[in-house]
Amino acid sequence: MTTYSGPARLTLADGTRVSGMASLSTNQRGGIDGWGGTFRPDQVTADVRNASAGLSLELPYDQVGEVNVTGVRKLLATQVLMSLAGSGPAPF
């Protein structure tokens, strides 16, 4: 299993970029390679809360992976934690 934890930028379907912190890992179960994790945006808007598919996650050094949001959980009054499922090669 490979992991990444640090700064990231989520690009929404409309091209809006949202900075935040990501915690990602690969999982190799039953011969299926996949990756996913969580993303905590620095600022929360309605567009961020409603994001679901057609997104990309950019890590430092221009590493980019395609992601879908599988869930959004409220942490505090002004923070959310987004669960992500990656598709294609992991960007880390």
Side-chain angles (χ1 to χ4, degrees), residues 16-88:
T16 302
R17 293 181 172 197
V18 181
S19 296
M21 295 297 284
S23 179
L24 308 169
S25 65
T26 59
N27 45 18
Q28 299 168 338
R29 284 184 260 160
I32 298 174
D33 293 337
W35 63 278
T38 59
F39 178 74
R40 185 173 41 92
D42 292 340
Q43 295 181 343
V44 180
T45 64
D47 288 340
V48 170
R49 287 182 198 271
N50 297 324
S52 61
L55 313 175
S56 62
L57 190 67
E58 181 181 349
L59 306 182
Y61 310 109
D62 297 324
Q63 298 168 302
V64 179
E66 300 300 316
V67 296
N68 291 319
V69 175
T70 59
V72 178
R73 186 170 51 126
K74 193 172 183 178
L75 293 179
L76 300 170
T78 59
Q79 291 184 350
V80 297
L81 186 66
M82 305 171 82
S83 297
L84 305 176
S87 61

